[in-house]
Amino acid sequence: MQQLLAGCPKSDCCRGIGFSFCGIVDSKHCQILSSNDKYSDSAGFDLAGWAQSEFNLPLRLENDARTALLGEWYAGAGRGSNDIVMLTLGTGVGGAAMIDGKLLRGKHFQAGCLGGHLGVNHKGRICACGNIGCVEAEASSWSLPAICSAHPLFEESLLAALPCISFERLFQIAANGDACGLAVRDACIEVWAAGAVSMVHAYDPEVLILGGGVMNSAQEILPAMSEYIHRHAWTPWGKVMVRAATLMDRASLIGAVPLFETESQ
Ligand SMILES: [Zn+2]
C-alpha cells in the first residue's frame, strides 16, 4: 500500500481505502459486526483509525457481495439498471440488493446480504449461521464434499476418487455422464435458482447478476437457472434479466469507486 501511494503522481490522487469484507459490517461506522467464524478476531477492530494513522486516508468498509454488486452496477453486467440483486456463488453464497440506485443495508446492515442464508429446505442441512437448509448449506463449495458423500451413488462415482471436490471438477464429471455428479450438479443449480427466486420476490429487481468463482462454469449454470427463475418467479410485469457477472474477481475492487464517488452509497 505504501508503495502504491509512493507511486501516485500527485499527493491527492488517492481518495481513500475501500475495504470489502466477507461478513456483516456497519458501513456507517466502519466496523465489522459478525464474520461467521471466519476472521473471528476482526469484529470491533478500528479499521478507519488504522487507515487514518497508517496512510492518512479515509476508509469505506462494505460487505463483499455489496461491493461486487456496486462494481457490476458501475462498470459491469448491471450497467444501465438501478434495480439489481446479486448472488455470489463460491466458498459461501453472498447476496446483495440495490433498489432505485441505492444499496440496501437495513437497520442492522443485514438487508440483502444474507441471500446465501435464505432457507430453501427447512428439513435440510445445518448451516454455519445456525439456520437449517440455507442456500449455502445446500449448495456451496464448503458444503459440497458432504453433499456428494451423502449421495447414495457416491461410492460408485468418480467423485469418490477425488482428494478434494470442487464445483469445477463436479461439472466436468457430470458432463461425462456420472450419475452422482449429474444429480448433485442439478440439485445445486436448483438450490441456487430457488434462492434467486426468493431474492426476486423480496427485492423486485429488473436484473439478477450471478457472480463468484463458481460462475467460471457459467455455461453450465446460467441457462438452467434462468429457465427455473423464469418459470417460478412471480413477476407479472415481465422477466427478470438473469446475467453472469462480467467483472468477476475485479467486481469488488471496482465497487470501491462508487463507494467514494456517490455520497448516497
Ligand atoms: Zn445459513
Side-chain angles (χ1 to χ4, degrees):
M1 184 69 196
Q2 296 287 16
Q3 267 182 329
L4 275 175
L5 288 171
C8 284
K10 287 191 290 182
S11 61
D12 62 347
C13 70
C14 182
R15 294 273 299 276
I17 298 173
F19 200 119
S20 173
F21 186 78
C22 56
I24 299 170
V25 306
D26 174 345
S27 50
K28 267 189 199 155
H29 302 100
C30 284
Q31 293 281 315
I32 292 166
L33 300 177
S34 176
S35 62
N36 200 10
D37 287 342
K38 210 172 178 185
Y39 312 115
S40 56
D41 57 350
S42 59
F45 189 80
D46 182 13
L47 289 165
W50 163 78
Q52 201 61 55
S53 66
E54 286 293 312
F55 308 108
N56 196 28
L57 287 170
L59 180 135
R60 300 275 166 90
L61 174 69
E62 191 47 274
N63 165 269
D64 57 353
R66 289 203 191 109
T67 50
L69 188 154
L70 269 185
E72 295 289 345
W73 169 70
Y74 187 73
R79 281 188 78 176
S81 177
N82 282 328
D83 294 275
I84 305 168
V85 294
M86 182 153 188
L87 282 176
T88 56
L89 312 175
T91 307
V93 174
M98 170 182 275
I99 295 178
D100 201 18
K102 195 154 173 35
L103 268 187
L104 211 60
R105 292 191 175 94
K107 181 170 177 61
H108 308 101
F109 305 95
Q110 299 191 197
C113 71
L114 299 188
H117 300 280
L118 294 171
V120 290
N121 181 2
H122 75 285
K123 292 186 176 173
R125 297 173 171 278
I126 301 288
C127 185
C129 75
N131 194 14
I132 298 165
C134 292
V135 171
E136 72 167 56
E138 301 288 330
S140 69
S141 296
W142 72 256
S143 57
L144 184 62
I147 292 166
C148 290
S149 60
H151 194 276
L153 297 175
F154 180 69
E155 293 304 330
E156 302 141 45
S157 167
L158 289 172
L159 291 165
L162 295 179
C164 170
I165 300 175
S166 65
F167 276 106
E168 190 182 7
R169 294 293 287 133
L170 172 71
F171 287 129
Q172 287 167 353
I173 284 172
N176 288 330
D178 183 277
C180 178
L182 281 166
V184 173
R185 179 197 70 181
D186 293 349
C188 287
I189 289 173
E190 281 207 1
V191 164
W192 295 324
V197 168
S198 292
M199 291 289 279
V200 169
H201 288 173
Y203 303 117
D204 187 19
E206 65 177 355
V207 179
L208 184 146
I209 301 173
L210 299 165
V214 176
M215 283 299 286
N216 288 325
S217 306
Q219 71 284 357
E220 317 271 355
I221 299 168
L222 205 59
M225 277 191 71
S226 298
E227 195 276 327
Y228 184 105
I229 293 163
H230 293 152
R231 183 152 41 95
H232 293 291
W234 188 10
T235 54
W237 54 267
K239 287 182 178 176
V240 176
M241 289 177 271
V242 182
R243 297 176 181 161
T246 58
L247 304 176
M248 299 308 282
D249 287 349
R250 294 174 299 139
S252 282
L253 198 63
I254 293 169
V257 177
L259 270 185
F260 280 91
E261 279 193 349
T262 314
E263 285 309 312
S264 64
Q265 298 298 349

